[in-house]
Amino acid sequence: MQAFALPEFYVPYPARINPHLERAREHSSDWARRMGMLDAPKPGGGVVWDQAALDQMDYALMCAYTHPDCDGPTLDLITDWYVWVFFFDDDFLEQFKYSRDRAGAKAYLDRLEQFMTLEGETPPEPENPAEAGLKDLWERTVPAMSSEWRQRFITSTHNLMVESMWELDNIDRGRIANPIEYVQMRRRVGGAPWSANLVEYAVGAEVPALLAETRPMQVLADTFADAVHLRNDLFSYQREVQEEGENSNAVLVFERFFDCSTQEAAELVNDLLTSRLQQFESTALADVPALCADRAAPCQDQAAIAAYTKGLQDWQSGGHEWHVRSSRYMNEGADSAGQAGPLGGPTGLGTSAGRIAATLRIGAGRRAEQHAHVPFQPVGPLPLPELYMPFPIRTSPHLDAARSYAVDWARRMGMLDSVPGVEHGGVWDERRFIGLDLPHCAAMIHADATLEELYLSSDWLAWGTYGDDYYPVVFGHRRDLAGARASNARLAEFMPLDMGPTPEPLNPLERGLADLWQRTAEPMPQENRQRFRLAVEEMLESWLWELSNQAQNRVPDPIDYVEMRRRTFGSEMTKSLARLSYADRVPAELYRTRTMHELDTAAQDYACFANDLFSYQKEIEYEGEVHNLVLVVENFLNVDRLRARDIVAELMAARMLQFEHIIANELPALFEEFELDDEAREIVQRHADELKEWMSGILEWHRKCVRYTEPELKRNRFPGAPAEFSFLPTGLGTSAARVGAGSGGPR
């Protein structure tokens, strides 16, 4: 009996099969035997794989479906890589997961990494099939690729192997991840980013290094990864959860978090899978071409990106077809692309057309839901639930002085003046700015600041909040995306890395940034200055993302919303600022670990979601916004606002509990792994303590600030003006960051 009935899948493109399948089957079987994978022993007796098991799993079929256009030798190599990765997964399960041997697992993985050599390095002699396979594959693959690709592939292979320890740790503790943690971690441990790297090899086209880190290319890779993993979790639930005792599976995660049946959880996972595939499509068809045009990418780079994108698309359809056919997974009742294949099954136009018709229906339904929101609906105040906050509040003794100073600074920057193009005056007036009380927020998230540091922190909060209010008012209601892009380009000129001259400021936003950049970046080393500028630019880019969604009346995809919310809230800039004062005293690679990433994003999400609860009425009823997690949950789960509110509060609690878990359990292990000295340990612990105060301070600021109260909302609506032109500010307070001495603030 299957654990649940498989849902209808969104598979918009037909699967195709590589004509070199039989050659790859024969080659990969011989290769696995030569590497010792078919007689590798289990600790309790028997072997991990035998010939019959390998034949039944048929990884050559998977690769023939996922890489339908490559030549025979390339398909052989790609298939060998997948044989290796699946063997690694099964062998690691037998050797270490069942026995919970964490020390042995770490030693095994540390040695395995030595076989991913850089130029001029020599690997050790292999001692087991996983090592022999990796050594052979590395020598056959990397000479054909650039050094940039090699580094990306090392990173994705490292994550694939090392993050198995996260799964092992959760099994050992009986801990099931929260949904946000799970999606983030699945990208690292699940292997789809690794598969995306191999797509570059298979199609003979690398993603240009200058474009690889841009948001459109990252979204393309992330949506590909999420869809691959969510589909795999649906097909593998029975084997992983019920037979092997695994707890890293999206169906199980949703089942526990939403307290629903396995069938209901599977349907939710499939809805998210559909949403991610459609995000992939919109990124490929709109955002990537716009990126190429904006960067004036040469023809060969555009052709490489197109080939890569098509390769990812082929992988999705082919991967689905293989899951339907492979004995490795439960697949009774699964829909097939109607392709003729060695395992049989229906063929012909009719069967394929029927599946395509079902896919179109599923896709159209999800798209309609995303664009069907009616703005400016009266919703009234949202009753707030009890919010879990375990950390106390502290306040700077310089608060009163900062309050007085902040009004003067905002006035000097022109933030309280009228703004050209805003019919009813300015973005802010003095009363509204005083009511925001941003120095109070700064004083709680930066309680130990000197007077000058608190001034600077308050000013960054004011600038970021003003900017996040300014863009919807000046560009949003006119759908002026070109004007917003031009504004971003101008703002970048006020952050010169050489601290040289800047243009004459034309508005309060430019004037404020010019002042803050000089005061903040001047004492920074060049490398830190560059990181900080990038963080500010990412926040500016996120404002364009909001304007684009608003112009299309598109409620964001849940995962895209959570990840972009950190930027619109200013969290990425906050994180950057927090590290700059001690960047040279803590190993840079420590900040690239899963532990530190999850520590930061758990705190960021808590603060972002708190803002969405408090600002719900302001954004939905008075501003016609679509960027609020309560609304995103309403739209995605088709629930009312009170149930959506409770889910948001539960996500906040889950992220806070994860934050506490990391501090109590994972930070001490990280200290030992990196052999940190006392000073470095104290710095990382201080960073965690600052995040505690950042969260508690932001929550308290929301509770005390008049910004979200109904009387204030009514006062700021201009008499006689239609709701869409009420020119209310948007965001938390909204888009600011903390600054100075590693402190941070709300966005």
Side-chain angles (χ1 to χ4, degrees):
M1 292 290 293
Q2 288 194 168
F4 53 84
L6 286 165
E8 286 189 295
F9 290 90
Y10 178 66
V11 188
Y13 307 104
R16 297 178 298 116
I17 197 162
N18 193 298
H20 304 292
L21 167 61
E22 290 303 330
R23 166 194 169 126
R25 274 195 177 123
E26 183 178 342
H27 170 88
S28 63
S29 178
D30 178 65
W31 182 81
R33 186 179 301 106
R34 286 190 290 108
M35 295 301 110
M37 295 175 182
L38 301 186
D39 52 15
K42 294 181 182 180
V47 294
V48 177
W49 284 357
D50 57 19
Q51 185 68 54
L54 179 62
D55 292 344
Q56 196 172 29
M57 290 181 287
D58 204 352
Y59 297 119
L61 179 65
M62 183 195 79
C63 294
Y65 271 127
T66 54
H67 301 87
D69 296 323
C70 64
D71 62 22
T74 300
L75 184 63
D76 291 346
L77 179 57
I78 294 292
T79 303
D80 291 347
W81 269 113
Y82 280 92
V83 168
W84 175 82
V85 82
F86 279 101
F87 174 82
F88 163 79
D89 189 53
D90 288 352
D91 186 51
F92 191 83
L93 176 75
E94 295 289 347
Q95 301 294 336
F96 306 109
K97 286 188 178 179
Y98 287 146
S99 64
R100 310 293 193 265
D101 181 6
R102 299 186 79 256
K106 185 179 184 307
Y108 171 86
L109 295 173
D110 286 346
R111 179 173 159 82
L112 196 54
E113 284 206 54
Q114 297 177 33
F115 292 88
M116 295 187 293
T117 54
L118 295 174
E119 198 73 41
E121 294 180 346
T122 302
E125 281 300 311
E127 295 179 353
N128 57 56
E131 293 178 356
L134 184 54
K135 179 178 184 294
D136 177 80
L137 290 167
W138 198 257
E139 292 170 351
R140 292 162 58 198
T141 305
V142 297
M145 308 302 286
S146 69
S147 59
E148 291 84 3
W149 181 90
R150 183 188 298 205
Q151 194 56 59
R152 292 202 305 271
F153 193 53
I154 287 175
T155 298
S156 59
T157 310
H158 165 89
N159 290 339
L160 176 74
M161 297 189 303
V162 172
E163 299 306 345
S164 298
M165 295 294 291
W166 173 77
E167 291 184 319
L168 184 57
D169 185 65
N170 279 345
I171 292 171
D172 195 40
R173 296 177 185 276
R175 178 179 178 271
I176 297 174
N178 63 70
I180 298 172
E181 174 191 10
Y182 178 76
V183 169
Q184 291 183 165
M185 281 308 305
R186 191 72 164 92
R187 287 179 191 166
R188 296 171 74 101
V189 75
W194 177 88
S195 295
N197 293 150
L198 284 177
V199 165
E200 294 179 76
Y201 181 91
V203 301
E206 290 189 28
V207 175
L210 291 177
L211 301 180
E213 300 303 318
T214 60
R215 169 171 155 76
M217 297 309 298
Q218 287 177 333
V219 171
L220 211 60
D222 288 345
T223 50
F224 167 79
D226 294 342
V228 168
H229 295 147
L230 292 169
R231 178 185 292 105
N232 177 260
D233 284 355
L234 285 163
F235 281 96
S236 64
Y237 175 90
Q238 187 163 320
R239 178 178 62 85
E240 291 181 345
V241 176
Q242 296 186 336
E243 297 173 12
E244 297 177 353
E246 292 269 9
N247 58 14
S248 295
N249 184 289
V251 178
L252 178 63
V253 168
F254 280 35
E255 196 177 348
R256 296 295 179 87
F257 183 82
F258 292 108
D259 191 23
C260 61
S261 69
T262 306
Q263 186 68 53
E264 290 170 322
E267 297 291 345
L268 286 176
V269 170
N270 189 50
D271 286 344
L272 188 58
L273 164 60
T274 300
S275 183
R276 297 311 277 160
L277 285 170
Q278 292 184 335
Q279 178 84 29
F280 175 91
E281 291 171 336
S282 65
T283 302
L285 294 174
D287 298 341
V288 171
L291 170 70
C292 291
D294 183 59
R295 300 294 180 91
C299 293
Q300 63 268 26
D301 286 356
Q302 295 185 47
I305 291 173
Y308 169 69
T309 303
K310 179 181 176 295
L312 297 180
Q313 174 184 294
D314 287 337
W315 210 111
Q316 294 285 1
S317 297
H320 178 85
E321 190 70 14
W322 179 69
H323 278 85
V324 169
R325 295 169 178 269
S326 176
S327 66
R328 187 178 178 90
Y329 305 107
M330 68 170 213
N331 45 29
E332 182 181 339
D335 57 334
S336 170
Q339 304 293 317
L343 301 186
T347 63
L349 176 60
T351 52
S352 182
R355 184 193 61 79
I356 292 172
T359 280
L360 291 174
R361 173 176 50 77
I362 296 166
R366 173 53 62 188
R367 285 196 176 95
E369 290 168 1
Q370 272 196 301
H371 293 273
H373 173 67
V374 179
F376 303 104
Q377 297 179 64
V379 294
L382 182 68
L384 293 178
E386 188 70 26
L387 300 176
Y388 177 56
M389 170 48 70
F391 307 125
I393 300 160
R394 295 194 306 128
T395 305
S396 167
H398 305 302
L399 173 57
D400 289 340
R403 280 173 168 153
S404 175
Y405 166 86
V407 177
D408 178 66
W409 185 82
R411 187 183 296 112
R412 285 189 289 111
M413 296 303 108
M415 293 177 179
L416 310 183
D417 299 338
S418 62
V419 174
V422 178
E423 295 180 13
H424 297 280
V427 177
W428 289 345
D429 57 25
E430 186 166 324
R431 176 177 172 180
R432 188 179 301 176
F433 178 73
I434 292 172
L436 284 173
D437 202 6
L438 295 170
H440 183 215
C441 188
M444 290 184 289
I445 64 180
H446 197 182
D448 295 321
T450 65
L451 182 60
E452 289 300 321
E453 288 171 345
L454 190 61
Y455 286 168
L456 191 58
S457 184
S458 296
D459 292 347
W460 272 111
L461 284 171
W463 180 81
T465 303
Y466 182 85
D468 205 35
D469 288 355
Y470 177 95
Y471 268 57
V473 168
V474 175
F475 305 115
H477 74 279
R478 299 199 305 260
R479 309 293 194 262
D480 185 10
L481 296 178
R485 290 191 184 95
S487 175
N488 276 11
R490 279 272 304 176
L491 287 169
E493 295 181 34
F494 293 90
M495 298 184 289
L497 293 176
D498 62 0
M499 303 307 294
T502 61
E504 186 67 26
L506 300 180
N507 57 52
L509 201 57
E510 293 180 354
R511 195 172 299 113
L513 183 57
D515 176 79
L516 288 168
W517 180 257
Q518 290 295 323
R519 293 159 59 193
T520 307
E522 179 67 42
M524 290 181 180
Q526 182 75 6
E527 183 179 350
N528 292 0
R529 194 180 294 161
Q530 192 163 1
R531 279 187 226 149
F532 179 52
R533 172 177 161 144
L534 178 61
V536 177
E537 289 176 336
E538 287 180 345
M539 185 180 71
L540 294 175
E541 183 185 19
S542 75
W543 296 348
L544 298 182
W545 172 81
E546 288 185 316
L547 293 177
S548 177
N549 285 333
Q550 205 73 36
Q552 300 174 62
N553 193 45
R554 178 178 63 195
V555 179
D557 164 88
I559 296 175
D560 196 40
Y561 177 78
V562 169
E563 295 178 337
M564 286 304 292
R565 187 70 176 100
R566 297 166 190 160
R567 294 188 179 188
T568 63
F569 197 74
S571 303
E572 293 299 320
M573 192 164 75
T574 296
K575 184 171 68 175
S576 174
L577 285 163
R579 294 179 186 168
L580 295 180
S581 61
Y582 44 75
D584 296 335
R585 287 176 281 167
V586 176
E589 59 268 25
L590 182 136
Y591 289 113
R592 293 192 288 268
T593 62
R594 172 193 59 79
T595 297
M596 294 303 297
H597 180 260
E598 286 298 320
L599 184 77
D600 287 338
T601 58
Q604 292 165 14
D605 290 345
Y606 185 94
C608 293
F609 301 167
N611 172 248
D612 286 356
L613 288 174
F614 280 87
S615 65
Y616 179 79
Q617 183 186 14
K618 179 176 81 71
E619 294 179 342
I620 305 307
E621 179 176 340
Y622 285 83
E623 297 170 0
E625 264 285 358
V626 295
H627 300 100
N628 185 289
L629 186 59
V630 180
L631 176 65
V632 170
V633 172
E634 283 182 81
N635 181 267
F636 182 74
L637 296 180
N638 193 25
V639 296
D640 64 31
R641 68 188 184 115
L642 296 181
R643 176 59 185 139
R645 171 207 65 186
D646 291 343
I647 290 171
V648 172
E650 289 161 8
L651 280 170
M652 289 175 64
R655 292 300 264 166
M656 180 62 80
L657 290 170
Q658 182 188 350
F659 182 87
E660 293 180 290
H661 168 81
I662 291 170
I663 290 175
N665 300 286
E666 297 186 24
L667 278 187
L670 193 69
F671 294 161
E672 294 302 319
E673 178 183 346
F674 279 82
E675 300 179 345
L676 296 185
D677 59 26
D678 290 342
E679 181 190 28
R681 294 183 186 214
E682 192 271 331
I683 287 171
V684 175
Q685 189 60 57
R686 189 192 318 153
H687 174 65
D689 291 341
E690 288 169 353
L691 289 174
K692 295 176 186 177
E693 294 192 344
W694 189 70
M695 289 185 285
S696 64
I698 286 174
L699 181 60
E700 180 67 9
W701 178 83
H702 278 88
R703 287 171 170 161
K704 297 294 174 62
C705 181
V706 301
R707 179 177 174 88
Y708 308 105
T709 63
E710 194 163 32
E712 182 74 1
L713 297 175
K714 290 179 177 178
R715 186 187 77 81
N716 289 328
R717 172 175 282 173
F718 294 100
E724 62 267 31
F725 297 113
S726 60
F727 298 120
L728 281 168
T730 61
L732 144 48
T734 286
S735 296
R738 58 174 175 169
V739 68
S743 62
R747 300 296 308 189

